[in-house]
Amino acid sequence: MYKSYKELKKALQNNLPKQRLLLHSCCAPCSSHVLLLLKSYFDITIFYTNDNIYPQEEYQTRLSEQMKLCKALEIPILFDPYCADDFYREIEGLATLGERSKRCYQCYKLRLEKTALKAKELNFDCFTTTLSISPYKVTSWINELGEELEKKYQIPFIYSDFKKEEGYKHSILLSKEYGLYRQEYCGCEYSLKERSLNHE
């Protein structure tokens, strides 16, 4: 749909008719800036699908925080059942590769594909993800996957690079404003272990 952040911003500034956007969210803090950026231009529903998160209690905590933010901003939210097995199947043989590796690529793919399928099922106009707000994520991979899924499922993907224009910094400020829990690791058990090793 939009092939660059510049194209997306131009479309927003032109105030085009609102489309129904299914927005995958990895967590409430990351979604905060994105929701405030887009909610005037899209009819947004959050989709929380994050089978990578470990342990399940952490998944529930992040989901609760996402629901709290959605309530504050009057944004509808959908979520699917937690299924860690889907994540482990997706990254089979890749667990030890580390952050920003093929393991992460497959994790992005799992969540983006579930979002595309849900958007198609519920007749949304388009889909995207909050993942690109993080400086620790590989934005080019996210958009590459989005474009592939757009072709596969015939539903437009909104190009994203939400860290632009200090989006990540803004999300930190918004997290404080809304009293959101900010996690200290990406989500999966391997990122938790890697963080622990780096802080020894």
Side-chain angles (χ1 to χ4, degrees), residues 173-191:
L173 294 175
L174 289 170
S175 295
K176 293 177 182 177
E177 180 180 336
Y178 287 98
L180 300 175
Y181 159 70
R182 288 187 65 85
Q183 58 276 6
E184 295 183 348
Y185 64 103
C186 177
C188 73
E189 67 170 301
Y190 309 109
S191 66

Side-chain angles (χ1 to χ4, degrees), residues 5 29-30 32-34 133 161-174:
Y5 192 71
C30 285
S32 59
H33 167 76
V34 180
I133 197 169
D161 193 354
F162 295 121
K163 70 177 74 62
K164 293 277 191 178
E165 300 176 8
E166 300 194 333
Y168 181 68
K169 290 181 181 179
H170 189 218
S171 75
I172 294 172
L173 294 175
L174 289 170

Side-chain angles (χ1 to χ4, degrees), residues 3-191:
K3 300 305 180 185
S4 69
Y5 192 71
K6 184 176 180 181
E7 284 185 26
L8 172 60
K9 290 288 286 185
K10 183 177 180 181
L12 297 183
Q13 291 164 1
N14 288 338
N15 199 24
L16 298 177
K18 279 191 176 183
Q19 294 179 311
R20 295 180 66 237
L21 169 66
L22 189 63
L23 174 64
H24 163 257
S25 176
C26 53
C27 63
C30 285
S31 72
S32 59
H33 167 76
V34 180
L35 286 171
L36 289 181
L37 175 68
L38 298 182
K39 74 187 190 80
S40 295
Y41 307 102
F42 291 94
D43 181 5
I44 300 174
T45 296
I46 284 285
F47 185 43
Y48 183 86
T49 179
N50 297 294
D51 300 312
N52 60 307
I53 296 175
Y54 173 89
Q56 188 168 358
E57 291 78 12
E58 178 74 12
Y59 171 92
Q60 294 296 340
T61 297
R62 297 188 193 193
L63 174 57
S64 295
E65 290 296 289
Q66 185 68 71
M67 294 175 76
K68 180 173 78 174
L69 180 63
C70 284
K71 183 177 180 181
L73 297 178
E74 299 183 325
I75 300 289
I77 179 171
L78 301 172
F79 55 92
D80 56 4
Y82 179 69
C83 187
D85 287 347
D86 285 355
F87 170 69
Y88 290 115
R89 276 194 297 270
E90 192 69 40
I91 64 146
E92 187 174 0
L94 306 172
T96 62
L97 293 185
E99 192 77 14
R100 297 170 66 90
S101 69
K102 180 67 173 176
R103 182 188 76 202
C104 296
Y105 182 92
Q106 293 303 119
C107 182
Y108 305 163
K109 180 176 181 291
L110 172 66
R111 292 183 281 169
L112 278 167
E113 186 148 24
K114 287 195 173 190
T115 306
L117 283 166
K118 182 63 69 173
K120 188 74 173 179
E121 174 192 343
L122 298 179
N123 295 313
F124 279 82
D125 296 310
C126 47
F127 75 102
T128 195
T129 177
T130 62
L131 286 170
S132 70
I133 197 169
S134 170
Y136 306 104
K137 302 292 186 291
V138 183
T139 299
S140 60
W141 289 353
I142 294 165
N143 288 303
E144 172 188 308
L145 285 163
E147 190 171 354
E148 289 175 4
L149 292 167
E150 175 178 322
K151 293 174 182 175
K152 183 175 180 179
Y153 296 109
Q154 295 298 296
I155 181 162
F157 172 76
I158 302 296
Y159 179 99
S160 66
D161 193 354
F162 295 121
K163 70 177 74 62
K164 293 277 191 178
E165 300 176 8
E166 300 194 333
Y168 181 68
K169 290 181 181 179
H170 189 218
S171 75
I172 294 172
L173 294 175
L174 289 170
S175 295
K176 293 177 182 177
E177 180 180 336
Y178 287 98
L180 300 175
Y181 159 70
R182 288 187 65 85
Q183 58 276 6
E184 295 183 348
Y185 64 103
C186 177
C188 73
E189 67 170 301
Y190 309 109
S191 66

